[in-house]
mmCIF file of all heavy atoms in Angstrom:
data_model
loop_
_atom_site.group_PDB
_atom_site.id
_atom_site.type_symbol
_atom_site.label_atom_id
_atom_site.label_comp_id
_atom_site.label_asym_id
_atom_site.label_seq_id
_atom_site.Cartn_x
_atom_site.Cartn_y
_atom_site.Cartn_z
ATOM 1 N N VAL A 1 52.268 76.990 109.433
ATOM 2 C CA VAL A 1 52.669 77.904 108.360
ATOM 3 C C VAL A 1 54.185 77.996 108.269
ATOM 4 O O VAL A 1 54.738 78.284 107.194
ATOM 5 C CB VAL A 1 52.012 79.284 108.565
ATOM 6 C CG1 VAL A 1 52.622 80.024 109.749
ATOM 7 C CG2 VAL A 1 52.128 80.137 107.315
ATOM 8 N N ALA A 2 54.885 77.691 109.367
ATOM 9 C CA ALA A 2 56.350 77.683 109.330
ATOM 10 C C ALA A 2 56.870 76.619 108.386
ATOM 11 O O ALA A 2 58.004 76.711 107.903
ATOM 12 C CB ALA A 2 56.906 77.442 110.731
ATOM 13 N N GLY A 3 56.057 75.595 108.112
ATOM 14 C CA GLY A 3 56.484 74.521 107.231
ATOM 15 C C GLY A 3 55.873 74.588 105.848
ATOM 16 O O GLY A 3 56.038 73.659 105.054
ATOM 17 N N VAL A 4 55.173 75.683 105.537
ATOM 18 C CA VAL A 4 54.528 75.796 104.228
ATOM 19 C C VAL A 4 55.568 76.013 103.133
ATOM 20 O O VAL A 4 55.448 75.512 102.025
ATOM 21 C CB VAL A 4 53.486 76.931 104.237
ATOM 22 C CG1 VAL A 4 53.028 77.266 102.826
ATOM 23 C CG2 VAL A 4 52.285 76.525 105.087
ATOM 24 N N GLY A 5 56.610 76.750 103.436
ATOM 25 C CA GLY A 5 57.703 76.943 102.489
ATOM 26 C C GLY A 5 57.242 77.613 101.214
ATOM 27 O O GLY A 5 56.595 78.672 101.241
ATOM 28 N N SER A 6 57.545 76.984 100.080
ATOM 29 C CA SER A 6 57.263 77.595 98.777
ATOM 30 C C SER A 6 55.829 77.360 98.307
ATOM 31 O O SER A 6 55.452 77.826 97.231
ATOM 32 C CB SER A 6 58.240 77.048 97.725
ATOM 33 O OG SER A 6 58.094 75.642 97.601
ATOM 34 N N ALA A 7 55.049 76.636 99.091
ATOM 35 C CA ALA A 7 53.655 76.386 98.697
ATOM 36 C C ALA A 7 52.882 77.703 98.673
ATOM 37 O O ALA A 7 53.204 78.663 99.369
ATOM 38 C CB ALA A 7 52.998 75.409 99.654
ATOM 39 N N ARG A 8 51.832 77.729 97.870
ATOM 40 C CA ARG A 8 51.031 78.948 97.738
ATOM 41 C C ARG A 8 50.287 79.263 99.030
ATOM 42 O O ARG A 8 49.777 78.364 99.689
ATOM 43 C CB ARG A 8 50.028 78.775 96.604
ATOM 44 C CG ARG A 8 50.659 78.827 95.217
ATOM 45 C CD ARG A 8 49.605 78.588 94.151
ATOM 46 N NE ARG A 8 49.341 77.165 93.976
ATOM 47 C CZ ARG A 8 48.337 76.689 93.255
ATOM 48 N NH1 ARG A 8 47.468 77.518 92.704
ATOM 49 N NH2 ARG A 8 48.167 75.397 93.113
ATOM 50 N N ARG A 9 50.193 80.527 99.367
ATOM 51 C CA ARG A 9 49.449 80.956 100.561
ATOM 52 C C ARG A 9 47.953 81.042 100.274
ATOM 53 O O ARG A 9 47.151 80.965 101.196
ATOM 54 C CB ARG A 9 49.981 82.291 101.067
ATOM 55 C CG ARG A 9 51.416 82.217 101.587
ATOM 56 C CD ARG A 9 51.873 83.565 102.103
ATOM 57 N NE ARG A 9 51.108 83.990 103.253
ATOM 58 C CZ ARG A 9 51.384 83.666 104.525
ATOM 59 N NH1 ARG A 9 52.429 82.894 104.787
ATOM 60 N NH2 ARG A 9 50.637 84.109 105.515
ATOM 61 N N GLN A 10 47.593 81.233 99.040
ATOM 62 C CA GLN A 10 46.188 81.142 98.625
ATOM 63 C C GLN A 10 46.090 79.977 97.653
ATOM 64 O O GLN A 10 46.833 79.899 96.672
ATOM 65 C CB GLN A 10 45.706 82.424 97.933
ATOM 66 C CG GLN A 10 45.489 83.603 98.867
ATOM 67 C CD GLN A 10 46.779 84.315 99.230
ATOM 68 O OE1 GLN A 10 47.701 84.385 98.424
ATOM 69 N NE2 GLN A 10 46.850 84.851 100.444
ATOM 70 N N PHE A 11 45.192 79.071 97.946
ATOM 71 C CA PHE A 11 45.092 77.847 97.145
ATOM 72 C C PHE A 11 43.624 77.512 96.989
ATOM 73 O O PHE A 11 42.888 77.444 97.975
ATOM 74 C CB PHE A 11 45.821 76.702 97.855
ATOM 75 C CG PHE A 11 46.131 75.518 96.986
ATOM 76 C CD1 PHE A 11 47.427 75.274 96.563
ATOM 77 C CD2 PHE A 11 45.125 74.633 96.593
ATOM 78 C CE1 PHE A 11 47.734 74.178 95.769
ATOM 79 C CE2 PHE A 11 45.416 73.545 95.788
ATOM 80 C CZ PHE A 11 46.731 73.311 95.378
ATOM 81 N N SER A 12 43.217 77.298 95.771
ATOM 82 C CA SER A 12 41.835 76.905 95.507
ATOM 83 C C SER A 12 41.853 75.842 94.419
ATOM 84 O O SER A 12 42.516 75.998 93.388
ATOM 85 C CB SER A 12 41.012 78.112 95.043
ATOM 86 O OG SER A 12 39.658 77.756 94.855
ATOM 87 N N GLY A 13 41.153 74.734 94.679
ATOM 88 C CA GLY A 13 41.153 73.664 93.694
ATOM 89 C C GLY A 13 40.093 72.628 93.980
ATOM 90 O O GLY A 13 39.443 72.646 95.033
ATOM 91 N N PRO A 14 39.925 71.704 93.040
ATOM 92 C CA PRO A 14 38.912 70.659 93.201
ATOM 93 C C PRO A 14 39.346 69.620 94.232
ATOM 94 O O PRO A 14 40.523 69.231 94.296
ATOM 95 C CB PRO A 14 38.825 70.030 91.811
ATOM 96 C CG PRO A 14 40.178 70.277 91.206
ATOM 97 C CD PRO A 14 40.626 71.596 91.744
ATOM 98 N N ALA A 15 38.393 69.182 95.016
ATOM 99 C CA ALA A 15 38.671 68.189 96.057
ATOM 100 C C ALA A 15 38.748 66.787 95.458
ATOM 101 O O ALA A 15 37.999 66.443 94.539
ATOM 102 C CB ALA A 15 37.575 68.230 97.120
ATOM 103 N N LYS A 16 39.675 66.003 95.993
ATOM 104 C CA LYS A 16 39.678 64.554 95.782
ATOM 105 C C LYS A 16 39.602 63.946 97.178
ATOM 106 O O LYS A 16 40.477 64.177 98.016
ATOM 107 C CB LYS A 16 40.939 64.096 95.044
ATOM 108 C CG LYS A 16 40.898 64.397 93.552
ATOM 109 C CD LYS A 16 42.059 63.758 92.811
ATOM 110 C CE LYS A 16 41.944 62.246 92.724
ATOM 111 N NZ LYS A 16 40.874 61.813 91.805
ATOM 112 N N VAL A 17 38.532 63.199 97.430
ATOM 113 C CA VAL A 17 38.197 62.753 98.776
ATOM 114 C C VAL A 17 38.598 61.293 98.962
ATOM 115 O O VAL A 17 38.279 60.431 98.127
ATOM 116 C CB VAL A 17 36.691 62.926 99.052
ATOM 117 C CG1 VAL A 17 36.359 62.507 100.483
ATOM 118 C CG2 VAL A 17 36.276 64.380 98.813
ATOM 119 N N PHE A 18 39.289 61.026 100.081
ATOM 120 C CA PHE A 18 39.705 59.664 100.418
ATOM 121 C C PHE A 18 39.335 59.377 101.872
ATOM 122 O O PHE A 18 39.349 60.275 102.719
ATOM 123 C CB PHE A 18 41.208 59.490 100.238
ATOM 124 C CG PHE A 18 41.691 59.699 98.824
ATOM 125 C CD1 PHE A 18 42.173 60.933 98.419
ATOM 126 C CD2 PHE A 18 41.643 58.663 97.911
ATOM 127 C CE1 PHE A 18 42.620 61.128 97.121
ATOM 128 C CE2 PHE A 18 42.097 58.840 96.600
ATOM 129 C CZ PHE A 18 42.578 60.084 96.210
ATOM 130 N N GLY A 19 39.038 58.110 102.126
ATOM 131 C CA GLY A 19 38.708 57.690 103.487
ATOM 132 C C GLY A 19 39.886 57.118 104.236
ATOM 133 O O GLY A 19 39.732 56.620 105.348
ATOM 134 N N GLY A 20 41.087 57.205 103.659
ATOM 135 C CA GLY A 20 42.280 56.711 104.319
ATOM 136 C C GLY A 20 43.503 56.998 103.480
ATOM 137 O O GLY A 20 43.408 57.222 102.262
ATOM 138 N N GLU A 21 44.678 56.973 104.108
ATOM 139 C CA GLU A 21 45.881 57.360 103.384
ATOM 140 C C GLU A 21 46.359 56.271 102.429
ATOM 141 O O GLU A 21 47.048 56.568 101.445
ATOM 142 C CB GLU A 21 46.990 57.771 104.341
ATOM 143 C CG GLU A 21 47.553 56.676 105.201
ATOM 144 C CD GLU A 21 48.795 57.136 105.962
ATOM 145 O OE1 GLU A 21 49.135 58.328 105.908
ATOM 146 O OE2 GLU A 21 49.421 56.283 106.615
ATOM 147 N N ASP A 22 46.034 55.010 102.677
ATOM 148 C CA ASP A 22 46.490 53.949 101.779
ATOM 149 C C ASP A 22 45.940 54.150 100.372
ATOM 150 O O ASP A 22 46.667 54.027 99.372
ATOM 151 C CB ASP A 22 46.075 52.570 102.307
ATOM 152 C CG ASP A 22 46.915 52.121 103.491
ATOM 153 O OD1 ASP A 22 47.910 52.815 103.801
ATOM 154 O OD2 ASP A 22 46.573 51.101 104.114
ATOM 155 N N GLU A 23 44.649 54.442 100.285
ATOM 156 C CA GLU A 23 44.072 54.642 98.960
ATOM 157 C C GLU A 23 44.594 55.922 98.324
ATOM 158 O O GLU A 23 44.768 56.005 97.107
ATOM 159 C CB GLU A 23 42.544 54.637 99.017
ATOM 160 C CG GLU A 23 41.924 55.680 99.925
ATOM 161 C CD GLU A 23 40.410 55.527 100.047
ATOM 162 O OE1 GLU A 23 39.697 56.025 99.160
ATOM 163 O OE2 GLU A 23 39.958 54.911 101.031
ATOM 164 N N ALA A 24 44.898 56.934 99.160
ATOM 165 C CA ALA A 24 45.468 58.175 98.621
ATOM 166 C C ALA A 24 46.885 57.939 98.104
ATOM 167 O O ALA A 24 47.270 58.467 97.051
ATOM 168 C CB ALA A 24 45.460 59.258 99.692
ATOM 169 N N ILE A 25 47.687 57.155 98.831
ATOM 170 C CA ILE A 25 49.053 56.840 98.377
ATOM 171 C C ILE A 25 49.002 56.015 97.099
ATOM 172 O O ILE A 25 49.810 56.215 96.176
ATOM 173 C CB ILE A 25 49.833 56.119 99.497
ATOM 174 C CG1 ILE A 25 50.125 57.091 100.650
ATOM 175 C CG2 ILE A 25 51.139 55.536 98.963
ATOM 176 C CD1 ILE A 25 50.750 56.442 101.878
ATOM 177 N N ALA A 26 48.040 55.098 97.011
ATOM 178 C CA ALA A 26 47.886 54.313 95.780
ATOM 179 C C ALA A 26 47.532 55.221 94.608
ATOM 180 O O ALA A 26 48.066 55.057 93.492
ATOM 181 C CB ALA A 26 46.814 53.244 95.977
ATOM 182 N N ALA A 27 46.649 56.184 94.845
ATOM 183 C CA ALA A 27 46.271 57.128 93.788
ATOM 184 C C ALA A 27 47.469 57.979 93.365
ATOM 185 O O ALA A 27 47.630 58.299 92.181
ATOM 186 C CB ALA A 27 45.124 58.021 94.272
ATOM 187 N N LEU A 28 48.315 58.317 94.341
ATOM 188 C CA LEU A 28 49.530 59.073 94.037
ATOM 189 C C LEU A 28 50.436 58.255 93.120
ATOM 190 O O LEU A 28 50.961 58.768 92.121
ATOM 191 C CB LEU A 28 50.254 59.417 95.351
ATOM 192 C CG LEU A 28 51.584 60.169 95.246
ATOM 193 C CD1 LEU A 28 51.365 61.569 94.689
ATOM 194 C CD2 LEU A 28 52.245 60.252 96.630
ATOM 195 N N GLY A 29 50.619 56.980 93.459
ATOM 196 C CA GLY A 29 51.462 56.114 92.639
ATOM 197 C C GLY A 29 50.904 55.895 91.242
ATOM 198 O O GLY A 29 51.657 55.710 90.281
ATOM 199 N N ASP A 30 49.568 55.946 91.110
ATOM 200 C CA ASP A 30 48.922 55.741 89.809
ATOM 201 C C ASP A 30 48.810 57.022 88.987
ATOM 202 O O ASP A 30 48.227 57.016 87.894
ATOM 203 C CB ASP A 30 47.518 55.154 90.006
ATOM 204 C CG ASP A 30 47.557 53.725 90.537
ATOM 205 O OD1 ASP A 30 48.615 53.073 90.412
ATOM 206 O OD2 ASP A 30 46.539 53.271 91.110
ATOM 207 N N GLY A 31 49.327 58.134 89.530
ATOM 208 C CA GLY A 31 49.293 59.396 88.800
ATOM 209 C C GLY A 31 47.951 60.095 88.803
ATOM 210 O O GLY A 31 47.707 60.993 87.984
ATOM 211 N N GLU A 32 47.060 59.703 89.747
ATOM 212 C CA GLU A 32 45.722 60.298 89.775
ATOM 213 C C GLU A 32 45.670 61.607 90.552
ATOM 214 O O GLU A 32 44.662 62.311 90.522
ATOM 215 C CB GLU A 32 44.739 59.301 90.404
ATOM 216 C CG GLU A 32 44.579 58.017 89.602
ATOM 217 C CD GLU A 32 43.716 56.997 90.320
ATOM 218 O OE1 GLU A 32 43.047 57.369 91.308
ATOM 219 O OE2 GLU A 32 43.729 55.812 89.909
ATOM 220 N N ILE A 33 46.736 61.917 91.276
ATOM 221 C CA ILE A 33 46.802 63.171 92.021
ATOM 222 C C ILE A 33 47.688 64.130 91.243
ATOM 223 O O ILE A 33 48.851 63.824 90.943
ATOM 224 C CB ILE A 33 47.333 62.931 93.443
ATOM 225 C CG1 ILE A 33 46.316 62.101 94.232
ATOM 226 C CG2 ILE A 33 47.629 64.245 94.150
ATOM 227 C CD1 ILE A 33 46.777 61.698 95.617
ATOM 228 N N GLU A 34 47.125 65.280 90.903
ATOM 229 C CA GLU A 34 47.803 66.226 90.022
ATOM 230 C C GLU A 34 47.946 67.583 90.701
ATOM 231 O O GLU A 34 47.210 67.899 91.651
ATOM 232 C CB GLU A 34 47.001 66.385 88.728
ATOM 233 C CG GLU A 34 46.800 65.094 87.958
ATOM 234 C CD GLU A 34 45.888 65.272 86.757
ATOM 235 O OE1 GLU A 34 45.317 66.390 86.618
ATOM 236 O OE2 GLU A 34 45.742 64.318 85.972
ATOM 237 N N PRO A 35 48.880 68.399 90.231
ATOM 238 C CA PRO A 35 48.999 69.762 90.760
ATOM 239 C C PRO A 35 47.659 70.495 90.710
ATOM 240 O O PRO A 35 46.921 70.391 89.721
ATOM 241 C CB PRO A 35 50.028 70.413 89.815
ATOM 242 C CG PRO A 35 50.876 69.270 89.344
ATOM 243 C CD PRO A 35 49.914 68.109 89.207
ATOM 244 N N GLY A 36 47.341 71.194 91.771
ATOM 245 C CA GLY A 36 46.077 71.931 91.847
ATOM 246 C C GLY A 36 44.997 71.227 92.626
ATOM 247 O O GLY A 36 43.993 71.852 93.008
ATOM 248 N N HIS A 37 45.161 69.921 92.902
ATOM 249 C CA HIS A 37 44.159 69.190 93.677
ATOM 250 C C HIS A 37 44.234 69.551 95.157
ATOM 251 O O HIS A 37 45.307 69.872 95.684
ATOM 252 C CB HIS A 37 44.361 67.675 93.553
ATOM 253 C CG HIS A 37 43.822 67.102 92.282
ATOM 254 N ND1 HIS A 37 44.391 66.016 91.630
ATOM 255 C CD2 HIS A 37 42.745 67.452 91.521
ATOM 256 C CE1 HIS A 37 43.686 65.737 90.543
ATOM 257 N NE2 HIS A 37 42.694 66.583 90.462
ATOM 258 N N VAL A 38 43.091 69.488 95.818
ATOM 259 C CA VAL A 38 43.019 69.556 97.279
ATOM 260 C C VAL A 38 42.604 68.168 97.757
ATOM 261 O O VAL A 38 41.481 67.721 97.503
ATOM 262 C CB VAL A 38 42.012 70.614 97.771
ATOM 263 C CG1 VAL A 38 41.945 70.598 99.295
ATOM 264 C CG2 VAL A 38 42.393 71.996 97.264
ATOM 265 N N ILE A 39 43.525 67.491 98.426
ATOM 266 C CA ILE A 39 43.264 66.131 98.885
ATOM 267 C C ILE A 39 42.591 66.187 100.253
ATOM 268 O O ILE A 39 43.133 66.783 101.194
ATOM 269 C CB ILE A 39 44.567 65.325 98.974
ATOM 270 C CG1 ILE A 39 45.327 65.394 97.650
ATOM 271 C CG2 ILE A 39 44.275 63.885 99.371
ATOM 272 C CD1 ILE A 39 44.541 64.942 96.442
ATOM 273 N N VAL A 40 41.415 65.596 100.348
ATOM 274 C CA VAL A 40 40.649 65.561 101.594
ATOM 275 C C VAL A 40 40.720 64.151 102.166
ATOM 276 O O VAL A 40 40.252 63.199 101.541
ATOM 277 C CB VAL A 40 39.187 65.989 101.365
ATOM 278 C CG1 VAL A 40 38.383 65.846 102.662
ATOM 279 C CG2 VAL A 40 39.125 67.431 100.860
ATOM 280 N N LEU A 41 41.329 64.019 103.338
ATOM 281 C CA LEU A 41 41.397 62.745 104.067
ATOM 282 C C LEU A 41 40.520 62.904 105.302
ATOM 283 O O LEU A 41 40.835 63.695 106.188
ATOM 284 C CB LEU A 41 42.835 62.426 104.468
ATOM 285 C CG LEU A 41 43.843 62.285 103.320
ATOM 286 C CD1 LEU A 41 45.248 62.183 103.865
ATOM 287 C CD2 LEU A 41 43.515 61.072 102.480
ATOM 288 N N ARG A 42 39.429 62.153 105.370
ATOM 289 C CA ARG A 42 38.438 62.431 106.415
ATOM 290 C C ARG A 42 37.920 61.162 107.069
ATOM 291 O O ARG A 42 38.188 60.053 106.622
ATOM 292 C CB ARG A 42 37.276 63.215 105.824
ATOM 293 C CG ARG A 42 36.439 62.376 104.870
ATOM 294 C CD ARG A 42 35.276 63.138 104.317
ATOM 295 N NE ARG A 42 34.466 62.284 103.442
ATOM 296 C CZ ARG A 42 33.571 62.737 102.579
ATOM 297 N NH1 ARG A 42 33.373 64.035 102.458
ATOM 298 N NH2 ARG A 42 32.873 61.896 101.837
#
């Protein structure tokens, strides 16, 4: 929480699920990750 900074303390949003960070970084570069998303890396 010391590193949360200006991020919201209460956050609720739709999940976007990835099985690894490479595909998540690719989605970021393609503009598929938008404000309000909760990114699940599992």
Side-chain angles (χ1 to χ4, degrees):
V1 71
V4 168
S6 61
R8 287 178 278 170
R9 294 181 65 87
Q10 287 80 33
F11 197 106
S12 183
K16 283 188 71 71
V17 182
F18 298 95
E21 67 171 6
D22 285 352
E23 58 186 277
I25 291 173
L28 178 66
D30 292 341
E32 297 174 13
I33 293 175
E34 301 174 353
H37 281 147
V38 178
I39 307 304
V40 176
L41 300 171
R42 69 178 182 196

